[in-house]
Amino acid sequence: MIVVLDTNVLLVSIPLKSTYRPIFDALIDGKFDLVLSNDILSEYTEVIERKANAAVSTNIAEMLLNLDNLNKVDVYFEWKLIDKDPDDNKYVDAAIVGTADFIVSNDQHFKILKSVDFPRVNVISIDEFLNLILKK
């Protein structure tokens, strides 16, 4: 299974006592492949630093970059499929380049992708993804 994690999904899966911690543990254990672009990594580190601190942000970034199940991609074409929050397009573009099975997000801006036939990008909620992880 190949996925792109929205920043908020990664963020809520990191704390040890989080309901969504099994997602982070599954990532570390190689239960799914993570697609990551430079833009996504930059957002991850920026948000984690703001919520925690620079050391935590750096440690998480280094851990992600050293995962065997990381699919680091370079985005050369922007599809611009999301108008309401253009910043979310970085996830869509990475998903397309990385041939992700889906983007995991609860962000309502991604709903527009259901009406796009090409390129097909599937989005599932964090709860749906957690259920998939727990079934494995």
Side-chain angles (χ1 to χ4, degrees), residues 21 49 84 106 115:
R21 178 61 189 220
E49 184 173 340
K84 293 198 178 192
N106 284 352
S115 65

Side-chain angles (χ1 to χ4, degrees), residues 35 71-77 79 92-100:
V35 175
N71 181 4
K72 186 90 169 37
V73 298
D74 294 314
V75 174
Y76 295 105
F77 183 81
W79 288 89
V92 177
D93 296 337
I96 293 167
V97 172
T99 63

Side-chain angles (χ1 to χ4, degrees), residues 39 43 82-92 110:
D39 286 343
E43 183 168 308
I82 300 175
D83 292 331
K84 293 198 178 192
D85 188 355
D87 197 43
D88 287 337
N89 281 305
K90 68 175 145 270
Y91 301 100
V92 177
F110 288 97

Side-chain angles (χ1 to χ4, degrees), residues 34-120:
L34 177 68
V35 175
L36 189 66
S37 68
N38 285 333
D39 286 343
I40 294 172
L41 181 61
S42 292
E43 183 168 308
Y44 284 177
T45 56
E46 178 185 317
V47 172
I48 293 169
E49 184 173 340
R50 199 170 49 229
K51 299 286 184 182
N53 60 54
V56 171
S57 177
T58 300
N59 287 340
I60 297 284
E62 287 178 7
M63 182 273 306
L64 291 173
L65 291 171
N66 287 302
L67 290 173
D68 290 336
N69 52 321
L70 176 72
N71 181 4
K72 186 90 169 37
V73 298
D74 294 314
V75 174
Y76 295 105
F77 183 81
E78 297 176 353
W79 288 89
K80 299 180 182 176
L81 299 178
I82 300 175
D83 292 331
K84 293 198 178 192
D85 188 355
D87 197 43
D88 287 337
N89 281 305
K90 68 175 145 270
Y91 301 100
V92 177
D93 296 337
I96 293 167
V97 172
T99 63
D101 296 307
F102 34 76
I103 297 171
V104 182
S105 179
N106 284 352
D107 188 328
Q108 299 302 309
H109 297 127
F110 288 97
K111 284 188 175 184
I112 189 71
L113 298 175
K114 290 182 181 181
S115 65
V116 176
D117 292 328
F118 183 83
R120 191 82 195 128

